[in-house]
Amino acid sequence: MPELPEVETISRQLQAKIVGKKLKGKKIIKVRRRAKLLIIDFIDKTSLVFHLKLTGQLIYNSRPSRFTRQVFYFNGGSNLVFNDMRKFGWFKFIKRTEDLEKKFGPEALKISFKDFQSRLTKRPKSKIKLLLMDQKFIAGIGNIYSDEILFCSGVRPARLAASLTEKEIKAVFDNIAKVLQAAIKARGSSEQSYLDALGKKGDYVKYHQVYRRTGLPCKKCRAPIKRIKLAGRSAHYCPKCQK
DNA sequence: CCGAAGACCTGCTGGC
DNA sequence: TGCCAGCAGGTCTTCG
């Protein structure tokens, strides 16, 4: 589930619901996202940090299910339910988030073209899809959105960074923001288990051009979508639209 | 330095 | 219907 658009959706929804409430007697002053982390900041400068990994859910005012790992209760009776079928996700209370946040590269929605380009030239032999998913290179993009960004850019996922023309680098850069913003607007992609903080599915799957569409006709040219393996992950692309 | 492979978990789907 | 292989939004660690 949760890449940048999904975590951003949850973050915005929770920000509207729980700021000003108290958890364990401590007042919540902000809910925010860094990379794929969801961070709840308290007035005493401590934070509660979540990583939802593949199947984590954070749902406001929900009921526990068989997959519930933890329920957080706020003063006044409302709650926040943390579900995670595959148990990869985690949460922890920490004193300062700085050290944790330092481990990530620039935010995908904040990086400048200049920075993006210079980072690419420093990793000439890396495959472009793996670079987009490398959280130290650029933070927030995962398997779904790297495939979608590269489709929109006309670039195959296994291309080496050094092989991209200036025009292609610009296209990839532009499509990072374009695809992620559109996905946030649709409240993310619900492939299987993802739900937003209000317990609703995200609508972006219907806009997917290639992700998990192996063998289906490309929405632009009708050529069958291909799937390959890169670093153990599936990569989907249109052999005709992407060079 | 880099990349590939396996580990961590559970559930679902498709083929025989 | 049953069983088994393969797949799934993400990091981590280990090994070559």
Side-chain angles (χ1 to χ4, degrees):
Chain A
M1 73 162 63
E3 299 181 34
L4 184 152
E6 290 77 25
V7 182
E8 181 68 24
T9 297
I10 293 169
S11 171
R12 291 181 187 182
Q13 292 173 331
L14 286 182
Q15 166 80 11
K17 292 288 184 190
I18 68 173
V19 166
K21 292 185 187 297
K22 284 182 177 176
L23 178 63
K24 290 187 172 180
K26 298 193 295 189
K27 192 169 178 178
I28 294 162
I29 58 167
K30 193 174 179 65
V31 182
R32 62 196 170 92
R33 177 193 60 75
R34 167 72 172 120
K36 298 171 192 170
L37 298 174
L38 188 286
I39 304 173
I40 298 175
D41 291 323
F42 299 98
I43 196 155
D44 66 353
K45 309 275 190 193
T46 65
S47 301
L48 173 56
V49 181
F50 292 87
H51 199 307
L52 302 177
K53 293 290 180 83
L54 282 85
T55 55
Q57 304 173 332
L58 269 179
I59 309 179
Y60 179 71
N61 269 355
S62 180
R63 306 177 81 99
S65 69
R66 59 186 285 225
F67 301 121
T68 296
R69 319 292 313 162
Q70 186 78 38
V71 182
F72 300 90
Y73 295 95
F74 304 110
N75 286 19
S78 51
N79 72 21
L80 183 62
V81 175
F82 175 48
N83 302 322
D84 188 11
M85 186 180 78
R86 288 175 71 181
K87 302 179 180 173
F88 291 154
W90 52 261
F91 65 87
K92 55 187 170 188
F93 286 92
I94 58 176
K95 287 229 167 73
R96 307 200 72 84
T97 61
E98 279 86 349
D99 288 348
L100 190 55
E101 293 190 58
K102 264 194 304 198
K103 296 198 306 183
F104 298 97
E107 281 292 319
L109 287 174
K110 289 184 180 165
I111 193 170
S112 68
F113 177 65
K114 229 176 160 178
D115 191 8
F116 181 69
Q117 191 174 33
S118 82
R119 281 166 171 270
L120 267 190
T121 58
K122 285 174 193 149
R123 300 284 298 276
K125 288 193 262 185
S126 298
K127 296 180 176 75
I128 184 65
K129 175 180 168 74
L130 300 183
L131 273 186
L132 292 180
M133 291 200 297
D134 180 344
Q135 301 302 298
K136 290 191 186 75
F137 180 81
I138 180 172
I141 299 168
N143 211 26
I144 295 180
Y145 298 105
S146 56
D147 275 359
E148 295 299 314
I149 289 163
L150 290 173
F151 173 83
C152 293
S153 309
V155 174
R156 294 194 187 190
R159 289 270 300 279
L160 301 187
S163 78
L164 269 67
T165 65
E166 183 123 356
K167 209 172 164 183
E168 286 173 330
I169 295 173
K170 186 66 167 53
V172 172
F173 173 79
D174 288 343
N175 283 309
I176 287 172
K178 205 168 143 187
V179 168
L180 294 179
Q181 299 283 16
I184 291 170
K185 203 168 173 186
R187 296 175 2 274
S189 302
S190 288
E191 274 295 343
Q192 293 159 48
S193 62
Y194 168 71
L195 296 176
D196 68 17
L198 308 179
K200 287 176 64 182
K201 290 187 172 194
D203 294 328
Y204 198 69
V205 170
K206 64 181 176 221
Y207 302 110
H208 287 184
Q209 304 291 306
V210 287
Y211 184 76
R212 283 195 122 193
R213 298 194 70 250
T214 311
L216 296 173
C218 171
K219 292 181 183 179
K220 288 229 171 89
C221 78
R222 317 302 294 168
I225 299 302
K226 280 199 165 184
R227 179 167 76 94
I228 56 170
K229 280 254 181 198
L230 292 183
R233 313 295 299 279
S234 288
H236 312 76
Y237 68 96
C238 170
K240 219 169 143 190
C241 294
Q242 290 168 263
K243 306 296 175 196

